[in-house]
Amino acid sequence: WRGLSRMDRRGDLWEVYHELRDRTDELGEIVTKECGKEISEGRADVVEAAHMVEWAAGDARHPSGEIVPSEIAEKDASMRRKPRGVTGCITPWNFPIAIPYWHMAVALVEGNTVVFKPAEQTPWCAQIIAEMFDDAGVPDGVFNLVQGYGDVGAALVDDDRVRTVLFTGSAEVGQQIAAETAADSSKRAACEMGGKNAVVITEEADLDIAVHAAVMSSFKTTGQRCVSSERLVVHTDVYEEFRDRFVEVAGRVAVGDPLEEDTFMGPLIGTDHVEKVTSYNDLARTEGVDVLVDRTDLPDEEIPDGHEDGHWVGPFVYEADPGEPLRCTHEEVFGPHVALLEYSGDIEEAVEIHNDVDYGLAGAVVSEDYRQINYYRDHAELGLAYGNL
């Protein structure tokens, strides 16, 4: 596989790209059935996968490598990309089609082989991915699927033949993988992990934009995204109006059958996760926050007929003091659990609140003042920043 040209390797990926595009509606429904996110998000998952495969296959046409002048006139220095070898890809259940292709499309184009370990909650989507590679004619042994639980992922990380580990999932597991691979000089790991993400809403914010952005970020995928916002840091000048509008929407967000087009939030992924989210809602009450919306236990009339045993949890919204070291405002919940944190100072104070967690994944700022957005961009401690420029 590594002996082929990048152009030859990309040919199989184009077949996968076209199958993803042709089967978007079908596969989007399977995503929704298996992981529970509402149907428009199920389809978007497949579209995102297609875009990633298209990008990786298209990038194969771009020149790769460089020759640069050396400090010695008679010599040149060259940089050439070479495959690392076997790549272990460990992916989560919340984007069961898109995230595997984030990992695998580039790895394959660059000449690596792949061993893919999907989340145990979404084996059906993983099987479809495997069938697509087989249909495209990827040679035996280049792509490999192993289903199972955490012990399978651990075996993959430990195996001496695996040179690179690509992981998306919890901070706890990712930190273990990073530590284990760091102990072996031949291995490399890239880990995208959890977040206690915040949206900063300044006194210069357009509240139509701010409320919409906060609702989408907090409650889409039922809050089960590593980039979902669980903290809304709002300036006192706009706090009351924002709070009232956000709370009004959170109180009526449509929770229901994810296959219905008018559903906004589907169920959580499983019983264990219901227990986790519920426990954090209970913890927030214990820590003395002011609860504004509590739809933890949905009434019978909001639960779809025939799905009474589903994993249903609605939005939970509360006010808290940003200066208090509360667990509920500092630990990732991975559900529709949202804290409103009021501040009265300048953008510097807002960013201090934003940075006061042990995570640095993603965040956003809403403001009509580009200087505030630029300050956030330069000082927020995160890897992925959004601003309404």
Side-chain angles (χ1 to χ4, degrees):
W1 182 248
R2 71 186 295 157
L4 299 175
S5 72
R6 295 171 87 228
M7 286 298 297
D8 287 337
R9 294 193 294 259
R10 72 188 270 279
D12 293 338
L13 283 183
W14 276 123
E15 298 297 324
V16 172
Y17 164 75
H18 287 296
E19 186 168 357
L20 287 166
R21 291 299 301 269
D22 292 344
R23 299 176 64 189
T24 296
D25 289 344
E26 172 203 348
L27 298 182
E29 185 171 319
I30 291 172
V31 169
T32 292
K33 286 179 176 179
E34 191 160 47
C35 79
K37 61 184 178 182
E38 56 88 10
I39 187 63
S40 70
E41 294 183 84
R43 289 191 291 263
D45 198 297
V46 182
V47 170
E48 185 172 342
H51 289 167
M52 188 66 231
V53 174
E54 181 182 33
W55 181 87
D59 189 57
R61 279 201 173 274
H62 295 169
S64 176
E66 189 175 356
I67 297 177
V68 295
S70 167
E71 71 272 16
I72 300 173
E74 292 80 15
K75 293 184 177 181
D76 288 324
S78 63
M79 292 181 285
R80 184 179 182 186
R81 300 167 72 97
K82 292 185 177 181
R84 282 189 50 80
V86 180
T87 302
C89 299
I90 303 173
T91 63
W93 48 261
N94 58 339
F95 287 82
I97 299 289
I99 289 180
Y101 283 115
W102 296 358
H103 290 199
M104 296 186 294
V106 174
L108 290 168
V109 163
E110 295 299 334
N112 303 285
T113 57
V114 162
V115 181
F116 170 38
K117 190 278 177 196
E120 62 268 22
Q121 295 92 340
T122 50
W124 187 7
C125 290
Q127 179 66 24
I128 289 170
I129 289 171
E131 291 168 356
M132 283 186 174
F133 280 122
D134 192 50
D135 292 344
V138 174
D140 290 348
V142 171
F143 168 84
N144 309 273
L145 169 66
V146 288
Q147 301 271 17
Y149 293 84
D151 57 333
V152 176
L156 189 58
V157 173
D158 291 341
D159 196 295
D160 291 339
R161 293 167 294 179
V162 176
R163 300 293 304 280
T164 305
V165 178
L166 305 179
F167 170 80
T168 301
S170 71
E172 178 183 7
V173 175
Q175 288 162 3
Q176 292 174 358
I177 291 172
E180 290 176 25
T181 54
D184 184 341
S185 61
S186 69
K187 288 182 180 283
R188 296 289 184 272
C191 301
E192 185 209 357
M193 298 176 282
K196 189 70 173 179
N197 311 302
V199 177
V200 171
I201 297 152
T202 79
E203 72 278 16
E204 301 295 337
D206 179 330
L207 291 190
D208 289 338
I209 294 173
V211 172
H212 178 76
V215 168
M216 295 292 287
S217 181
S218 298
F219 302 132
K220 270 299 182 183
T221 324
T222 319
Q224 299 171 116
R225 293 183 181 184
C226 55
V227 295
S228 292
S229 60
E230 295 185 12
R231 299 181 297 144
L232 305 177
V233 182
V234 187
H235 194 276
T236 190
D237 287 356
V238 296
Y239 181 81
E240 186 174 338
E241 181 181 351
F242 175 86
R243 178 196 62 198
D244 292 347
R245 291 175 62 176
F246 182 80
V247 163
E248 192 275 329
V249 176
R252 60 178 173 81
V253 161
V255 181
D257 185 344
L259 291 172
E260 297 293 335
E261 296 286 350
D262 58 354
T263 293
F264 192 86
M265 280 176 49
L268 294 176
I269 187 62
T271 302
D272 290 348
H273 200 52
V274 171
E275 293 174 357
K276 177 186 177 182
V277 174
T278 300
S279 71
Y280 270 99
N281 294 354
D282 292 340
L283 173 65
R285 299 186 195 95
T286 301
E287 292 187 311
V289 304
D290 184 8
V291 178
L292 304 175
V293 177
D294 186 355
R295 299 174 64 192
T296 305
D297 298 313
L298 292 173
D300 292 343
E301 59 269 20
E302 292 191 47
I303 297 175
D305 291 341
H307 298 279
E308 289 78 11
D309 294 331
H311 308 122
W312 305 106
V313 172
F316 183 83
V317 182
Y318 58 95
E319 294 176 304
D321 183 343
E324 291 291 323
L326 306 178
R327 287 182 56 201
C328 64
T329 58
H330 287 76
E331 298 177 7
E332 183 185 31
V333 178
F334 212 64
H337 172 107
V338 185
L340 297 179
L341 307 173
E342 182 178 2
Y343 76 101
S344 58
D346 51 23
I347 186 64
E348 287 86 351
E349 180 186 354
V351 171
E352 287 180 7
I353 296 169
H354 177 283
N355 291 343
D356 185 32
V357 292
D358 292 332
Y359 303 87
L361 183 61
V365 59
V366 182
S367 173
E368 296 300 299
D369 185 338
Y370 74 91
R371 290 164 296 192
Q372 292 182 330
I373 294 176
N374 287 351
Y375 183 89
Y376 177 91
R377 175 199 65 195
D378 295 339
H379 296 88
E381 296 173 355
L382 41 61
L384 180 63
Y386 299 88
N388 62 306
L389 293 174

